[in-house]
Amino acid sequence: MAAAPQMILKCGKTGRLFFTAEEAQEHAEAFGAAYANFDEVALDTKVWVCVETGRPAYTEAEVARLKARDPDSKTFEEKTVAYLMEMQKQKEAIAERKERFFSSVSEKHLNNLTIVKNYGRTRAAKALYFTKDKGTVEAAEAWLSEHENDPDIDKLPEELLTAVAGDVTMGDASADVQMGDAGEPEPDNRQLGDPNPPEIKEKVNQELVKQVMEMGFSELRAEKALYQTDNASLEHAVNWLGDHADDADIDLPLMKPRPPPPEKPKMSKEEAEAKALELQKKLRQKRAEEEKLSEKEKERMRIESTKMMVEANEKLKEEERARAIQQMQREKEEHERHRAELKEQLRRDYIERFGKEPPPEEEEKERAVKEKSSKDQVAHYLGKLKKNYKDTDREGLKTCLTTLRIYVKNLQDNPQDPKFKKLNLQGKAFQSRIAPYDGAIDFLDVMGFERKDDCLEQRKSIPDGWLCGNAIKFIDLILGQI
């Protein structure tokens, strides 16, 4: 039986063509009843395509409008609906080949480079492809640094797409099409107390290992977290440790990485085409689902944008940005002044307590801490509290951390309430729970509290909610460990 001809619908309001009934229905739902009238058109129906821009027009009147509105739209060629369908198929084929290329590299490493490192997707995938013999993010970043000025760094040449089509091992996506025996798994002889294998240690950033250990984690856990997160950042490692704190094997070393499999021979052209077709089918299904959601979202956003008063909103936003910049500048200047006063106060407190000037190394360490980001300072002072009092005053440390959490939580939940922006230095609770613990007042300073007479007062008009959230996360993590 012959296949039924494909139905092509044309919107009576806009003239736009739809090659499936689902696309037409989504269009009608997005724009309303006025855009729900469709006519069926034949493959030989005339259309006009702009030579300069490739934009189609469905009537001669629309051709005239495009020429008047767009200086680049000068020449139009008469085509048919069948021609537009063929062009659409070619675009889809090109998109599939590009997706096949992206699937030929490690998805984990690609996400690391694009999401964490902020590289473009095309250049990141190219870097991973050309350094796949090394298989590391560091090698890919070195390649990107070497080729960052290449004029075609963000383009995928035809020869590269062709080479991927015949590649036997298509990165992570090829796991289900590789041939041959994967080998028997190695026996698990790991024991508590054993270190991580040297192959693991050499792949983790030792500077980040030290920073994680300063927060109270063991060397083995620090190495595991950084290895599993590709040395992305301190935050990613801490988050991983929090997510896996209850794993049964959290204190067992990682297994020794298996050596890469021997390079397999290239497949024949027929075999490569068969494998490529199988992968294309999977990519096509995935891309179709993503495009359906993407197109629907784009239509919704476009409709909303036409209803907004763009000029008025932009002007309002510009005024708000200017006020925000001025406020940030004032707060920055006030913070710098307060830092200088706090430093002098710390020096006087040290002299009063010990009867001598602070040693130079203490000042140097304090200076180094103050130069870090607010988030890193929070982690430092909380880690200092844990290190100093975990073994000597565990219950007092818990009370101190719990009280600090209450202060920060009140700020986060009630940023405008003035009663949560002042802490009485002479209060019994403050004197017994906070003052005796070295590092607690430094932590409060980072959170925005400054000394004024007999109290600590929040110097920011609106507390930093993001910093408050991270501080609570760190406190909860330490409380869970002690």
Side-chain angles (χ1 to χ4, degrees):
M1 182 182 293
Q6 181 176 353
M7 182 174 64
I8 305 169
L9 299 176
K10 178 180 179 180
C11 177
K13 186 78 171 178
T14 65
R16 180 179 173 183
L17 297 182
F18 301 93
F19 298 105
T20 66
E22 290 78 8
E23 292 179 351
Q25 183 177 354
E26 290 179 2
H27 177 77
E29 291 175 353
F31 287 89
Y35 294 81
N37 296 320
F38 299 95
D39 298 319
E40 187 173 352
V41 297
L43 291 176
D44 59 356
T45 301
K46 290 182 181 180
V47 294
W48 290 263
V49 179
C50 179
V51 175
E52 292 80 14
T53 65
R55 182 174 180 178
Y58 304 105
T59 64
E60 293 186 4
E62 188 175 357
V63 170
R65 285 198 301 271
L66 288 176
K67 286 183 176 180
R69 294 176 182 176
D70 186 1
D72 294 331
S73 301
K74 299 177 181 178
T75 309
F76 284 80
E77 293 183 344
E78 185 177 306
K79 300 291 183 180
T80 63
V81 171
Y83 171 84
L84 290 183
M85 288 185 63
E86 183 62 29
M87 292 297 100
Q88 181 67 20
K89 290 179 181 179
Q90 292 182 13
K91 290 180 180 179
E92 291 177 354
I94 293 173
E96 288 175 2
R97 296 179 71 195
K98 289 183 177 179
E99 284 301 321
R100 193 185 315 154
F101 174 77
F102 292 130
S103 299
S104 71
V105 300
S106 167
E107 182 179 1
K108 175 183 176 183
H109 292 340
L110 184 60
N111 289 338
N112 192 327
L113 288 172
T114 56
I115 299 175
V116 180
K117 307 291 186 179
N118 293 321
Y119 288 107
R121 190 174 184 223
T122 298
R123 62 174 61 189
K126 287 176 70 175
L128 291 169
Y129 179 82
F130 286 116
T131 60
K132 60 183 178 181
D133 57 326
K134 298 181 178 62
T136 65
V137 173
E138 290 76 10
E141 287 193 283
W143 188 93
L144 285 167
S145 178
E146 182 180 351
H147 295 83
E148 63 179 346
N149 295 322
D150 290 1
D152 60 347
I153 184 68
D154 292 309
K155 298 179 181 178
L156 293 176
E158 178 66 25
E159 57 270 20
L160 193 57
L161 297 177
T162 303
V164 170
D167 200 339
V168 181
T169 57
M170 298 184 181
D172 293 343
S174 68
D176 56 349
V177 298
Q178 290 183 7
M179 308 295 291
D181 185 6
E184 295 295 329
E186 296 183 4
D188 188 354
N189 298 322
R190 298 174 297 169
Q191 296 182 0
L192 291 174
D194 290 346
N196 283 312
E199 293 84 354
I200 299 296
K201 290 178 175 290
E202 67 184 15
K203 290 185 178 181
V204 297
N205 185 313
Q206 294 302 317
E207 184 62 31
L208 288 177
V209 170
K210 294 179 182 178
Q211 294 183 33
V212 177
M213 290 177 64
E214 287 177 356
M215 297 177 65
F217 296 101
S218 66
E219 182 179 12
L220 183 137
R221 288 195 181 191
E223 291 174 346
K224 289 179 71 172
L226 291 166
Y227 180 81
Q228 297 292 2
T229 58
D230 280 334
N231 298 308
S233 68
L234 178 63
E235 179 181 1
H236 284 74
V238 172
N239 287 340
W240 186 92
L241 286 167
D243 293 339
H244 297 269
D246 298 327
D247 290 0
D249 62 347
I250 186 63
D251 289 314
L252 287 175
L254 289 168
M255 293 286 288
K256 180 179 179 181
R258 296 181 62 184
E263 184 175 354
K264 297 183 180 180
K266 293 286 184 178
M267 298 193 312
S268 66
K269 181 179 179 181
E270 292 75 14
E271 291 173 327
E273 289 178 351
K275 298 300 180 184
L277 288 174
E278 183 178 353
L279 182 59
Q280 285 179 25
K281 182 179 179 180
K282 295 180 180 179
L283 293 176
R284 190 181 298 112
Q285 292 174 347
K286 180 180 179 182
R287 187 172 61 82
E289 295 174 359
E290 292 176 348
E291 286 185 349
K292 184 176 181 180
L293 294 174
S294 176
E295 286 298 324
K296 192 170 183 179
E297 180 65 14
K298 287 180 181 178
E299 290 291 341
R300 186 185 69 80
M301 294 298 295
R302 192 180 69 82
I303 296 170
E304 290 182 358
S305 65
T306 58
K307 298 177 181 179
M308 293 173 62
M309 301 177 65
V310 178
E311 294 181 357
N313 283 343
E314 285 299 322
K315 182 178 179 180
L316 179 61
K317 290 178 181 178
E318 186 63 32
E319 292 173 351
E320 290 175 348
R321 282 194 292 266
R323 288 194 295 270
I325 292 173
Q326 293 173 359
Q327 180 65 22
M328 289 174 61
Q329 184 63 31
R330 288 194 296 268
E331 291 180 355
K332 181 179 179 181
E333 293 172 355
E334 180 65 14
H335 180 60
E336 292 298 328
R337 181 191 63 77
H338 174 65
R339 283 182 61 187
E341 293 176 355
L342 181 61
K343 182 178 179 181
E344 177 61 22
Q345 183 62 43
L346 289 172
R347 188 186 71 83
R348 291 197 298 267
D349 290 347
Y350 189 93
I351 294 173
E352 182 179 352
R353 184 182 298 179
F354 300 103
K356 60 180 181 180
E357 290 284 342
E361 54 270 23
E362 288 294 329
E363 292 184 356
E364 186 63 29
K365 288 180 181 179
E366 187 66 25
R367 186 182 304 109
V369 170
K370 293 300 183 181
E371 291 175 354
K372 294 182 178 181
S373 67
S374 297
K375 181 181 175 183
D376 288 341
Q377 290 184 53
V378 165
H380 170 80
Y381 288 122
L382 291 176
K384 181 178 180 181
L385 282 167
K386 177 185 174 184
K387 179 179 178 181
N388 290 343
Y389 302 104
K390 180 182 68 173
D391 298 326
T392 59
D393 188 5
R394 183 182 298 267
E395 293 304 318
L397 175 60
K398 286 184 178 180
T399 302
C400 176
L401 291 174
T402 303
T403 304
L404 291 175
R405 190 187 190 283
I406 293 173
Y407 291 162
V408 176
K409 185 64 175 174
N410 286 338
L411 278 181
Q412 185 184 44
D413 294 342
N414 308 278
Q416 302 286 358
D417 195 333
K419 72 179 180 181
F420 296 120
K421 295 184 178 183
K422 283 188 178 182
L423 304 175
N424 185 5
L425 289 173
Q426 306 303 321
K428 183 178 179 180
F430 190 92
Q431 287 296 319
S432 61
R433 300 177 184 179
I434 302 299
Y437 296 93
D438 186 22
I441 295 180
D442 295 320
F443 167 81
L444 291 173
D445 174 67
V446 178
M447 299 307 301
F449 287 97
E450 63 181 351
R451 186 189 296 266
K452 287 190 176 180
D453 298 329
D454 59 347
C455 69
L456 291 179
E457 183 174 337
Q458 179 64 221
R459 60 176 167 270
K460 295 183 178 180
S461 57
I462 299 179
D464 189 337
W466 177 84
L467 185 60
C468 289
N470 279 281
I472 292 172
K473 183 189 299 184
F474 283 132
I475 292 174
D476 288 343
L477 186 61
I478 295 175
L479 285 172
Q481 294 170 352
I482 60 176

